[in-house]
Short mmCIF file of all heavy atoms in Angstrom, two decimals:
data_model
loop_
_atom_site.label_atom_id
_atom_site.label_comp_id
_atom_site.label_asym_id
_atom_site.label_seq_id
_atom_site.Cartn_x
_atom_site.Cartn_y
_atom_site.Cartn_z
N PRO A 14 37.13 43.45 -45.35
CA PRO A 14 37.77 42.15 -45.49
C PRO A 14 36.85 41.37 -46.28
O PRO A 14 35.60 41.40 -46.25
CB PRO A 14 38.00 41.63 -44.21
CG PRO A 14 37.05 42.32 -43.33
CD PRO A 14 36.80 43.69 -43.95
N ALA A 15 37.31 40.36 -47.17
CA ALA A 15 36.50 39.40 -47.87
C ALA A 15 36.27 38.24 -46.98
O ALA A 15 37.16 37.57 -46.42
CB ALA A 15 37.20 38.99 -49.15
N LEU A 16 34.96 38.03 -46.67
CA LEU A 16 34.60 37.02 -45.72
C LEU A 16 33.72 35.96 -46.50
O LEU A 16 32.67 36.36 -46.90
CB LEU A 16 33.82 37.55 -44.56
CG LEU A 16 34.64 38.61 -43.84
CD1 LEU A 16 33.74 39.51 -42.89
CD2 LEU A 16 35.80 38.05 -43.00
N PRO A 17 34.21 34.70 -46.61
CA PRO A 17 33.51 33.72 -47.35
C PRO A 17 32.17 33.21 -46.85
O PRO A 17 31.43 32.67 -47.65
CB PRO A 17 34.52 32.62 -47.53
CG PRO A 17 35.23 32.68 -46.30
CD PRO A 17 35.43 34.17 -45.91
N ASP A 18 31.96 33.26 -45.44
CA ASP A 18 30.63 32.69 -44.90
C ASP A 18 30.38 33.36 -43.65
O ASP A 18 31.07 34.30 -43.15
CB ASP A 18 30.88 31.19 -44.83
CG ASP A 18 31.96 30.85 -43.97
OD1 ASP A 18 32.43 31.48 -43.07
OD2 ASP A 18 32.52 29.63 -44.19
N LEU A 19 29.27 32.99 -43.06
CA LEU A 19 28.80 33.60 -41.90
C LEU A 19 29.67 33.37 -40.73
O LEU A 19 29.91 34.17 -39.86
CB LEU A 19 27.31 33.12 -41.51
CG LEU A 19 26.71 33.69 -40.33
CD1 LEU A 19 26.58 35.21 -40.32
CD2 LEU A 19 25.33 33.10 -39.99
N ARG A 20 30.21 32.20 -40.62
CA ARG A 20 31.16 31.79 -39.63
C ARG A 20 32.38 32.72 -39.58
O ARG A 20 32.82 33.28 -38.61
CB ARG A 20 31.53 30.39 -39.60
CG ARG A 20 32.45 29.89 -38.42
CD ARG A 20 32.73 28.42 -38.46
NE ARG A 20 31.56 27.60 -38.56
CZ ARG A 20 30.85 27.14 -37.53
NH1 ARG A 20 31.15 27.54 -36.43
NH2 ARG A 20 29.76 26.39 -37.80
N ALA A 21 32.89 33.09 -40.81
CA ALA A 21 34.07 33.98 -40.82
C ALA A 21 33.63 35.34 -40.51
O ALA A 21 34.46 36.10 -39.84
CB ALA A 21 34.62 33.89 -42.36
N PHE A 22 32.44 35.71 -40.96
CA PHE A 22 31.99 37.10 -40.64
C PHE A 22 31.82 37.24 -38.99
O PHE A 22 32.17 38.23 -38.49
CB PHE A 22 30.60 37.36 -41.12
CG PHE A 22 29.96 38.61 -40.72
CD1 PHE A 22 30.32 39.81 -41.39
CD2 PHE A 22 28.94 38.61 -39.78
CE1 PHE A 22 29.72 41.06 -40.95
CE2 PHE A 22 28.33 39.84 -39.37
CZ PHE A 22 28.82 41.03 -39.85
N LEU A 23 31.30 36.25 -38.37
CA LEU A 23 31.19 36.26 -36.95
C LEU A 23 32.50 36.32 -36.30
O LEU A 23 32.74 36.95 -35.24
CB LEU A 23 30.28 35.19 -36.45
CG LEU A 23 28.80 35.21 -36.85
CD1 LEU A 23 28.01 33.98 -36.43
CD2 LEU A 23 28.16 36.52 -36.27
N GLY A 24 33.49 35.64 -36.83
CA GLY A 24 34.83 35.61 -36.29
C GLY A 24 35.45 37.08 -36.45
O GLY A 24 36.12 37.55 -35.47
N TRP A 25 35.20 37.78 -37.53
CA TRP A 25 35.67 39.02 -37.74
C TRP A 25 35.00 40.06 -36.71
O TRP A 25 35.67 40.83 -36.11
CB TRP A 25 35.32 39.49 -39.20
CG TRP A 25 35.62 41.01 -39.53
CD1 TRP A 25 36.90 41.48 -39.74
CD2 TRP A 25 34.75 42.07 -39.48
NE1 TRP A 25 36.74 42.85 -39.88
CE2 TRP A 25 35.51 43.17 -39.89
CE3 TRP A 25 33.35 42.14 -39.41
CZ2 TRP A 25 34.96 44.42 -40.03
CZ3 TRP A 25 32.82 43.41 -39.63
CH2 TRP A 25 33.52 44.47 -39.83
N VAL A 26 33.76 39.86 -36.55
CA VAL A 26 32.94 40.59 -35.53
C VAL A 26 33.60 40.41 -34.16
O VAL A 26 33.85 41.40 -33.40
CB VAL A 26 31.45 40.32 -35.60
CG1 VAL A 26 30.70 40.89 -34.40
CG2 VAL A 26 30.88 40.78 -36.88
N GLU A 27 33.80 39.07 -33.83
CA GLU A 27 34.39 38.84 -32.55
C GLU A 27 35.74 39.45 -32.34
O GLU A 27 36.07 39.97 -31.25
CB GLU A 27 34.54 37.29 -32.47
CG GLU A 27 34.93 36.84 -31.15
CD GLU A 27 33.89 36.65 -30.06
OE1 GLU A 27 32.73 36.37 -30.51
OE2 GLU A 27 34.18 36.68 -28.93
N SER A 28 36.60 39.55 -33.38
CA SER A 28 37.91 40.15 -33.32
C SER A 28 37.87 41.65 -33.08
O SER A 28 38.82 42.23 -32.60
CB SER A 28 38.73 39.77 -34.54
OG SER A 28 38.18 40.65 -35.60
N ARG A 29 36.64 42.16 -33.29
CA ARG A 29 36.50 43.59 -33.02
C ARG A 29 35.90 43.90 -31.71
O ARG A 29 35.48 45.04 -31.50
CB ARG A 29 35.67 44.13 -34.17
CG ARG A 29 36.24 43.98 -35.56
CD ARG A 29 35.34 44.52 -36.61
NE ARG A 29 34.82 45.71 -36.15
CZ ARG A 29 34.89 46.88 -36.74
NH1 ARG A 29 35.57 46.94 -37.93
NH2 ARG A 29 34.33 47.87 -36.24
N GLY A 30 35.63 42.93 -30.84
CA GLY A 30 35.13 43.16 -29.64
C GLY A 30 33.62 43.01 -29.55
O GLY A 30 33.08 43.39 -28.44
N GLU A 31 33.03 42.57 -30.58
CA GLU A 31 31.60 42.26 -30.66
C GLU A 31 31.48 40.75 -30.69
O GLU A 31 32.41 40.09 -31.02
CB GLU A 31 30.86 42.97 -31.79
CG GLU A 31 30.98 44.54 -31.74
CD GLU A 31 30.30 45.08 -32.97
OE1 GLU A 31 29.00 45.01 -33.04
OE2 GLU A 31 30.76 45.60 -33.86
N PRO A 32 30.38 40.08 -30.48
CA PRO A 32 29.07 40.70 -30.27
C PRO A 32 28.91 40.94 -28.74
O PRO A 32 29.62 40.54 -27.91
CB PRO A 32 28.20 39.59 -30.75
CG PRO A 32 28.97 38.32 -30.46
CD PRO A 32 30.41 38.66 -30.71
N LEU A 33 27.76 41.67 -28.53
CA LEU A 33 27.31 41.91 -27.15
C LEU A 33 26.68 40.67 -26.74
O LEU A 33 25.66 40.35 -27.37
CB LEU A 33 26.46 43.16 -27.11
CG LEU A 33 25.83 43.46 -25.73
CD1 LEU A 33 26.93 43.62 -24.59
CD2 LEU A 33 24.88 44.60 -25.76
N ARG A 34 27.15 40.03 -25.75
CA ARG A 34 26.55 38.75 -25.26
C ARG A 34 25.45 39.03 -24.29
O ARG A 34 25.75 39.74 -23.22
CB ARG A 34 27.53 37.83 -24.70
CG ARG A 34 28.45 37.30 -25.83
CD ARG A 34 29.39 36.21 -25.25
NE ARG A 34 29.95 35.48 -26.28
CZ ARG A 34 31.28 35.74 -26.67
NH1 ARG A 34 31.94 36.54 -25.98
NH2 ARG A 34 31.80 35.02 -27.70
N ILE A 35 24.28 38.43 -24.47
CA ILE A 35 23.14 38.72 -23.58
C ILE A 35 22.82 37.29 -23.04
O ILE A 35 22.35 36.44 -23.61
CB ILE A 35 21.89 39.29 -24.25
CG1 ILE A 35 22.37 40.60 -24.84
CG2 ILE A 35 20.74 39.41 -23.30
CD1 ILE A 35 21.32 41.20 -25.74
N ALA A 36 23.29 37.10 -21.70
CA ALA A 36 23.23 35.68 -21.14
C ALA A 36 21.88 35.45 -20.50
O ALA A 36 21.47 34.21 -20.50
CB ALA A 36 24.30 35.69 -20.09
N GLU A 37 21.21 36.33 -19.98
CA GLU A 37 19.90 36.21 -19.36
C GLU A 37 18.81 35.92 -20.39
O GLU A 37 18.82 36.53 -21.55
CB GLU A 37 19.54 37.27 -18.52
CG GLU A 37 20.42 37.49 -17.27
CD GLU A 37 20.44 36.22 -16.39
OE1 GLU A 37 19.31 35.82 -16.06
OE2 GLU A 37 21.46 35.79 -15.96
N PRO A 38 17.84 35.03 -20.08
CA PRO A 38 16.84 34.81 -21.03
C PRO A 38 16.12 36.13 -21.29
O PRO A 38 15.88 36.94 -20.43
CB PRO A 38 15.87 33.87 -20.29
CG PRO A 38 16.64 33.30 -19.21
CD PRO A 38 17.80 34.20 -18.89
N ASP A 39 15.78 36.34 -22.51
CA ASP A 39 15.17 37.62 -22.91
C ASP A 39 14.33 37.55 -24.18
O ASP A 39 14.62 36.60 -24.95
CB ASP A 39 16.27 38.70 -23.23
CG ASP A 39 15.74 40.09 -22.98
OD1 ASP A 39 14.59 40.34 -23.22
OD2 ASP A 39 16.62 40.93 -22.82
N ARG A 40 13.32 38.26 -24.36
CA ARG A 40 12.62 38.38 -25.54
C ARG A 40 13.42 39.26 -26.45
O ARG A 40 13.78 40.46 -26.02
CB ARG A 40 11.24 38.88 -25.40
CG ARG A 40 10.49 37.79 -24.55
CD ARG A 40 8.96 37.94 -24.71
NE ARG A 40 8.29 37.09 -23.87
CZ ARG A 40 7.89 35.83 -24.12
NH1 ARG A 40 8.15 35.39 -25.43
NH2 ARG A 40 7.20 35.13 -23.39
N MET A 41 13.80 38.89 -27.60
CA MET A 41 14.71 39.55 -28.51
C MET A 41 14.33 40.87 -29.15
O MET A 41 15.00 41.69 -29.42
CB MET A 41 15.30 38.55 -29.44
CG MET A 41 15.95 37.45 -28.90
SD MET A 41 16.56 36.31 -30.01
CE MET A 41 15.01 35.73 -30.80
N ALA A 42 13.04 40.90 -29.57
CA ALA A 42 12.53 42.04 -30.40
C ALA A 42 12.94 43.35 -29.94
O ALA A 42 13.54 44.25 -30.75
CB ALA A 42 11.16 41.87 -30.69
N ALA A 43 12.61 43.76 -28.78
CA ALA A 43 12.75 45.04 -28.19
C ALA A 43 14.16 45.42 -28.12
O ALA A 43 14.68 46.58 -28.55
CB ALA A 43 12.08 45.30 -26.88
N VAL A 44 15.03 44.47 -27.71
CA VAL A 44 16.52 44.67 -27.60
C VAL A 44 17.13 44.88 -29.00
O VAL A 44 17.84 45.79 -29.26
CB VAL A 44 17.15 43.49 -26.87
CG1 VAL A 44 18.62 43.68 -26.85
CG2 VAL A 44 16.59 43.36 -25.49
N GLN A 45 16.71 44.07 -29.93
CA GLN A 45 17.16 44.20 -31.26
C GLN A 45 16.80 45.54 -32.01
O GLN A 45 17.60 46.04 -32.54
CB GLN A 45 16.73 42.94 -32.10
CG GLN A 45 17.32 43.10 -33.60
CD GLN A 45 16.70 42.13 -34.53
OE1 GLN A 45 15.92 41.37 -34.14
NE2 GLN A 45 17.14 42.22 -35.67
N ILE A 46 15.60 45.91 -31.82
CA ILE A 46 15.14 47.11 -32.47
C ILE A 46 16.00 48.37 -31.90
O ILE A 46 16.38 49.13 -32.62
CB ILE A 46 13.65 47.34 -32.26
CG1 ILE A 46 12.91 46.33 -33.16
CG2 ILE A 46 13.25 48.77 -32.65
CD1 ILE A 46 11.41 46.19 -32.83
N ALA A 47 16.15 48.40 -30.50
CA ALA A 47 16.87 49.41 -29.95
C ALA A 47 18.33 49.50 -30.45
O ALA A 47 18.92 50.52 -30.77
CB ALA A 47 16.80 49.28 -28.40
N ALA A 48 18.95 48.31 -30.50
CA ALA A 48 20.28 48.27 -31.02
C ALA A 48 20.40 48.66 -32.49
O ALA A 48 21.32 49.37 -32.80
CB ALA A 48 20.83 46.88 -30.80
N LEU A 49 19.45 48.26 -33.29
CA LEU A 49 19.50 48.63 -34.69
C LEU A 49 19.40 50.17 -34.77
O LEU A 49 20.07 50.78 -35.67
CB LEU A 49 18.31 47.89 -35.43
CG LEU A 49 18.32 48.21 -36.89
CD1 LEU A 49 19.50 47.64 -37.65
CD2 LEU A 49 17.07 47.34 -37.47
N ARG A 50 18.42 50.74 -34.19
CA ARG A 50 18.15 52.19 -34.31
C ARG A 50 19.35 52.98 -33.71
O ARG A 50 19.68 54.05 -34.27
CB ARG A 50 16.86 52.57 -33.44
CG ARG A 50 15.67 52.14 -34.08
CD ARG A 50 14.46 52.57 -33.39
NE ARG A 50 13.26 52.20 -34.09
CZ ARG A 50 12.08 51.86 -33.55
NH1 ARG A 50 11.93 52.06 -32.24
NH2 ARG A 50 11.04 51.47 -34.24
N ALA A 51 20.13 52.49 -32.87
CA ALA A 51 21.26 53.10 -32.29
C ALA A 51 22.56 52.87 -33.02
O ALA A 51 23.66 53.30 -32.68
CB ALA A 51 21.47 52.85 -30.80
N GLY A 52 22.46 52.01 -34.16
CA GLY A 52 23.63 51.54 -34.73
C GLY A 52 24.61 50.81 -33.92
O GLY A 52 25.83 50.85 -34.07
N GLY A 53 24.05 50.01 -33.03
CA GLY A 53 24.60 49.30 -32.07
C GLY A 53 25.32 48.02 -32.51
O GLY A 53 25.38 47.62 -33.69
N PRO A 54 25.77 47.24 -31.54
CA PRO A 54 26.59 46.03 -31.83
C PRO A 54 25.82 44.87 -32.32
O PRO A 54 24.50 44.90 -32.27
CB PRO A 54 27.17 45.67 -30.45
CG PRO A 54 26.17 46.14 -29.51
CD PRO A 54 25.67 47.43 -30.03
N VAL A 55 26.54 43.89 -32.86
CA VAL A 55 25.86 42.56 -33.16
C VAL A 55 25.46 42.01 -31.72
O VAL A 55 26.25 42.12 -30.63
CB VAL A 55 26.91 41.63 -33.67
CG1 VAL A 55 26.27 40.22 -33.86
CG2 VAL A 55 27.35 42.18 -35.03
N LEU A 56 24.33 41.39 -31.62
CA LEU A 56 23.77 40.80 -30.33
C LEU A 56 23.84 39.26 -30.41
O LEU A 56 23.44 38.75 -31.38
CB LEU A 56 22.41 41.31 -30.16
CG LEU A 56 22.12 42.81 -30.21
CD1 LEU A 56 20.59 43.14 -30.16
CD2 LEU A 56 22.77 43.41 -29.01
N ARG A 57 24.25 38.71 -29.38
CA ARG A 57 24.19 37.28 -29.26
C ARG A 57 23.42 36.92 -27.99
O ARG A 57 23.83 37.14 -26.87
CB ARG A 57 25.58 36.67 -29.15
CG ARG A 57 25.51 35.20 -29.18
CD ARG A 57 26.81 34.46 -29.14
NE ARG A 57 27.06 33.88 -27.85
CZ ARG A 57 28.10 33.31 -27.51
NH1 ARG A 57 29.21 33.24 -28.27
NH2 ARG A 57 28.20 32.69 -26.27
N PHE A 58 22.27 36.27 -28.29
CA PHE A 58 21.37 35.94 -27.09
C PHE A 58 21.75 34.52 -26.84
O PHE A 58 21.49 33.65 -27.59
CB PHE A 58 19.87 36.06 -27.56
CG PHE A 58 19.42 37.36 -27.76
CD1 PHE A 58 19.57 38.03 -29.06
CD2 PHE A 58 18.83 38.16 -26.82
CE1 PHE A 58 19.18 39.30 -29.30
CE2 PHE A 58 18.44 39.49 -27.07
CZ PHE A 58 18.59 40.11 -28.27
N ASP A 59 22.20 34.31 -25.61
CA ASP A 59 22.64 32.92 -25.28
C ASP A 59 21.55 32.06 -24.68
O ASP A 59 21.59 30.74 -24.83
CB ASP A 59 23.75 32.99 -24.19
CG ASP A 59 25.05 33.53 -24.72
OD1 ASP A 59 25.24 33.35 -25.93
OD2 ASP A 59 25.84 34.05 -23.93
N ALA A 60 20.40 32.69 -24.29
CA ALA A 60 19.30 31.92 -23.76
C ALA A 60 18.01 32.64 -24.20
O ALA A 60 17.31 33.13 -23.34
CB ALA A 60 19.47 31.70 -22.25
N PRO A 61 17.70 32.76 -25.42
CA PRO A 61 16.48 33.52 -25.80
C PRO A 61 15.22 32.75 -25.31
O PRO A 61 15.24 31.55 -25.29
CB PRO A 61 16.60 33.60 -27.41
CG PRO A 61 17.45 32.36 -27.70
CD PRO A 61 18.34 32.28 -26.60
N LEU A 62 14.21 33.49 -25.29
CA LEU A 62 12.90 32.86 -24.96
C LEU A 62 12.02 32.65 -26.20
O LEU A 62 11.95 33.46 -27.04
CB LEU A 62 12.24 33.83 -24.01
CG LEU A 62 12.67 33.95 -22.62
CD1 LEU A 62 11.96 34.99 -21.80
CD2 LEU A 62 12.97 32.75 -21.83
N ARG A 63 11.53 31.48 -26.19
CA ARG A 63 10.51 31.12 -27.23
C ARG A 63 9.23 31.80 -26.91
O ARG A 63 8.99 32.39 -25.91
CB ARG A 63 10.28 29.68 -27.30
CG ARG A 63 11.70 28.94 -27.75
CD ARG A 63 11.52 27.40 -27.55
NE ARG A 63 10.52 26.88 -28.35
CZ ARG A 63 10.46 26.48 -29.61
NH1 ARG A 63 11.75 26.28 -30.11
NH2 ARG A 63 9.56 25.94 -30.31
N GLU A 64 8.40 31.84 -27.97
CA GLU A 64 7.08 32.51 -27.86
C GLU A 64 6.32 32.10 -26.70
O GLU A 64 5.64 32.94 -26.03
CB GLU A 64 6.25 32.28 -29.14
CG GLU A 64 5.09 33.12 -29.26
CD GLU A 64 4.44 32.99 -30.61
OE1 GLU A 64 5.07 32.63 -31.61
OE2 GLU A 64 3.10 33.04 -30.61
N GLU A 65 6.34 30.83 -26.41
CA GLU A 65 5.58 30.28 -25.13
C GLU A 65 6.31 30.51 -23.87
O GLU A 65 5.88 30.15 -22.83
CB GLU A 65 5.29 28.85 -25.34
CG GLU A 65 6.42 27.97 -25.22
CD GLU A 65 7.23 27.74 -26.64
OE1 GLU A 65 6.76 28.39 -27.60
OE2 GLU A 65 8.11 26.97 -26.67
N GLY A 66 7.46 31.11 -23.92
CA GLY A 66 8.21 31.44 -22.61
C GLY A 66 9.30 30.49 -22.19
O GLY A 66 9.89 30.75 -21.22
N ARG A 67 9.48 29.46 -22.97
CA ARG A 67 10.52 28.53 -22.68
C ARG A 67 11.92 29.01 -23.37
O ARG A 67 11.77 29.66 -24.32
CB ARG A 67 10.20 27.15 -23.15
CG ARG A 67 9.07 26.58 -22.40
CD ARG A 67 8.74 25.07 -22.87
NE ARG A 67 8.69 25.08 -24.31
CZ ARG A 67 9.03 24.10 -25.06
NH1 ARG A 67 9.52 22.87 -24.57
NH2 ARG A 67 9.01 24.14 -26.40
N ARG A 68 12.91 28.62 -22.75
CA ARG A 68 14.18 28.86 -23.29
C ARG A 68 14.49 28.20 -24.60
O ARG A 68 14.05 26.96 -24.71
CB ARG A 68 15.39 28.50 -22.42
CG ARG A 68 15.52 29.42 -21.30
CD ARG A 68 16.85 29.05 -20.51
NE ARG A 68 17.04 29.96 -19.45
CZ ARG A 68 18.18 30.02 -18.81
NH1 ARG A 68 19.21 29.29 -19.05
NH2 ARG A 68 18.35 31.01 -17.89
N ALA A 69 15.04 28.75 -25.64
CA ALA A 69 15.27 28.08 -26.91
C ALA A 69 16.53 27.27 -26.78
O ALA A 69 17.36 27.50 -25.95
CB ALA A 69 15.49 29.13 -28.05
N ALA A 70 16.71 26.27 -27.59
CA ALA A 70 17.85 25.37 -27.52
C ALA A 70 19.11 25.91 -28.03
O ALA A 70 20.21 25.47 -27.80
CB ALA A 70 17.58 23.98 -28.25
N MET A 71 19.02 26.92 -29.07
CA MET A 71 20.17 27.52 -29.78
C MET A 71 20.35 28.98 -29.37
O MET A 71 19.38 29.61 -28.95
CB MET A 71 19.90 27.39 -31.19
CG MET A 71 19.94 26.07 -31.84
SD MET A 71 20.02 26.37 -33.66
CE MET A 71 18.77 25.29 -34.07
N ARG A 72 21.43 29.39 -29.50
CA ARG A 72 21.75 30.83 -29.40
C ARG A 72 21.32 31.52 -30.71
O ARG A 72 21.23 30.87 -31.70
CB ARG A 72 23.24 31.10 -29.15
CG ARG A 72 23.75 30.60 -27.87
CD ARG A 72 25.30 30.93 -27.82
NE ARG A 72 25.75 29.59 -28.49
CZ ARG A 72 27.04 29.23 -28.43
NH1 ARG A 72 27.97 29.99 -27.85
NH2 ARG A 72 27.47 28.11 -28.97
N VAL A 73 20.98 32.84 -30.53
CA VAL A 73 20.59 33.52 -31.71
C VAL A 73 21.50 34.86 -31.80
O VAL A 73 21.80 35.49 -30.81
CB VAL A 73 19.18 34.03 -31.52
CG1 VAL A 73 18.62 34.95 -32.58
CG2 VAL A 73 18.22 32.90 -31.44
N VAL A 74 21.84 35.14 -33.07
CA VAL A 74 22.68 36.32 -33.41
C VAL A 74 21.76 37.22 -34.08
O VAL A 74 21.06 36.82 -35.03
CB VAL A 74 23.93 35.92 -34.33
CG1 VAL A 74 24.65 37.19 -34.65
CG2 VAL A 74 24.79 34.95 -33.53
N ALA A 75 21.73 38.50 -33.69
CA ALA A 75 20.89 39.51 -34.25
C ALA A 75 21.67 40.75 -34.56
O ALA A 75 22.74 41.02 -34.00
CB ALA A 75 19.67 39.84 -33.34
N ASN A 76 21.11 41.72 -35.39
CA ASN A 76 21.66 42.92 -35.71
C ASN A 76 23.11 42.78 -36.42
O ASN A 76 23.98 43.75 -36.32
CB ASN A 76 21.85 43.77 -34.43
CG ASN A 76 21.96 45.27 -34.83
OD1 ASN A 76 21.41 45.82 -35.76
ND2 ASN A 76 22.70 46.06 -34.00
N SER A 77 23.26 41.62 -37.13
CA SER A 77 24.51 41.29 -37.73
C SER A 77 25.02 42.38 -38.75
O SER A 77 26.07 42.82 -38.83
CB SER A 77 24.53 40.05 -38.37
OG SER A 77 24.27 39.02 -37.43
N PHE A 78 24.00 42.95 -39.42
CA PHE A 78 24.29 43.89 -40.53
C PHE A 78 23.63 45.22 -40.17
O PHE A 78 23.15 45.92 -41.02
CB PHE A 78 23.79 43.34 -41.91
CG PHE A 78 24.40 42.03 -42.15
CD1 PHE A 78 23.72 40.88 -42.19
CD2 PHE A 78 25.72 41.90 -42.58
CE1 PHE A 78 24.42 39.64 -42.46
CE2 PHE A 78 26.40 40.78 -42.87
CZ PHE A 78 25.67 39.53 -42.78
N GLY A 79 23.68 45.55 -38.95
CA GLY A 79 23.05 46.87 -38.49
C GLY A 79 23.82 48.05 -38.78
O GLY A 79 23.39 49.26 -38.36
N THR A 80 25.13 48.03 -39.34
CA THR A 80 25.80 49.26 -39.66
C THR A 80 26.32 49.10 -41.08
O THR A 80 26.45 47.92 -41.53
CB THR A 80 26.98 49.43 -38.76
OG1 THR A 80 28.01 48.40 -38.93
CG2 THR A 80 26.70 49.54 -37.29
N ARG A 81 26.63 50.19 -41.76
CA ARG A 81 27.17 50.11 -43.07
C ARG A 81 28.46 49.42 -43.16
O ARG A 81 28.75 48.65 -44.04
CB ARG A 81 27.42 51.55 -43.64
CG ARG A 81 26.04 52.29 -43.99
CD ARG A 81 26.35 53.61 -44.48
NE ARG A 81 25.21 54.40 -44.68
CZ ARG A 81 24.82 54.76 -45.83
NH1 ARG A 81 25.52 54.52 -46.96
NH2 ARG A 81 23.68 55.42 -46.03
N GLU A 82 29.34 49.58 -42.10
CA GLU A 82 30.65 48.87 -42.12
C GLU A 82 30.39 47.37 -42.07
O GLU A 82 31.10 46.57 -42.84
CB GLU A 82 31.44 49.39 -40.88
CG GLU A 82 32.72 48.75 -40.83
CD GLU A 82 33.53 49.15 -39.59
OE1 GLU A 82 32.97 49.58 -38.58
OE2 GLU A 82 34.82 49.00 -39.64
N ARG A 83 29.45 46.91 -41.27
CA ARG A 83 29.20 45.45 -41.23
C ARG A 83 28.66 44.91 -42.58
O ARG A 83 28.90 43.86 -42.94
CB ARG A 83 28.34 45.09 -40.02
CG ARG A 83 29.28 45.28 -38.73
CD ARG A 83 28.64 44.69 -37.51
NE ARG A 83 27.23 44.87 -37.23
CZ ARG A 83 26.85 45.70 -36.35
NH1 ARG A 83 27.74 46.55 -35.58
NH2 ARG A 83 25.56 46.02 -36.03
N VAL A 84 27.76 45.73 -43.23
CA VAL A 84 27.21 45.24 -44.44
C VAL A 84 28.32 45.17 -45.49
O VAL A 84 28.39 44.13 -46.16
CB VAL A 84 26.19 46.29 -44.90
CG1 VAL A 84 25.72 45.99 -46.38
CG2 VAL A 84 24.85 46.20 -43.94
N ALA A 85 29.15 46.14 -45.46
CA ALA A 85 30.35 46.18 -46.32
C ALA A 85 31.23 44.96 -46.23
O ALA A 85 31.57 44.28 -47.12
CB ALA A 85 31.11 47.42 -46.27
N ALA A 86 31.44 44.70 -44.92
CA ALA A 86 32.35 43.56 -44.55
C ALA A 86 31.59 42.31 -45.03
O ALA A 86 32.29 41.28 -45.59
CB ALA A 86 32.74 43.40 -43.08
N GLY A 87 30.32 42.13 -44.75
CA GLY A 87 29.54 40.95 -45.17
C GLY A 87 29.59 40.75 -46.70
O GLY A 87 29.52 39.64 -47.24
N LEU A 88 29.58 41.85 -47.38
CA LEU A 88 29.55 41.65 -48.86
C LEU A 88 30.91 41.56 -49.40
O LEU A 88 31.03 41.28 -50.58
CB LEU A 88 28.80 42.80 -49.47
CG LEU A 88 27.38 42.98 -49.10
CD1 LEU A 88 26.77 44.27 -49.61
CD2 LEU A 88 26.61 41.76 -49.69
N GLY A 89 31.94 41.81 -48.69
CA GLY A 89 33.37 41.70 -49.19
C GLY A 89 33.71 43.05 -49.94
O GLY A 89 34.63 42.98 -50.77
#
């Protein structure tokens, strides 16, 4: 599908049953690397941890373009 912006892309991903929501505070790097290597889902960290160990104020989306299909959708 032709998707004009990131919000539309994330809506498309959501309609497919992704992203995988991670609600607990977590350091993202190891989770993201494992998902990328496995061709896994888009990840949405609802309470990521900052470097100093505090929760970040914003959610973070990772592994958005971790598969060929999602890259193709993102590029239209």
Side-chain angles (χ1 to χ4, degrees):
L16 303 166
D18 56 29
L19 182 59
R20 189 174 303 274
F22 175 80
L23 292 174
W25 176 78
V26 168
E27 185 86 26
S28 73
R29 299 175 43 117
E31 297 183 65
L33 175 62
R34 289 188 170 103
I35 302 170
E37 293 299 314
D39 204 337
R40 297 203 183 268
M41 300 178 295
V44 176
Q45 181 191 0
I46 290 168
L49 182 61
R50 287 183 178 153
V55 174
L56 305 171
R57 188 177 107 180
F58 294 88
D59 289 334
L62 294 179
R63 296 172 55 97
E64 190 173 327
E65 68 276 3
R67 294 181 311 149
R68 284 184 178 199
M71 286 194 237
R72 290 177 274 194
V73 173
V74 175
N76 202 34
S77 300
F78 302 105
T80 65
R81 287 179 184 249
E82 182 180 22
R83 290 195 306 258
V84 170
L88 295 174

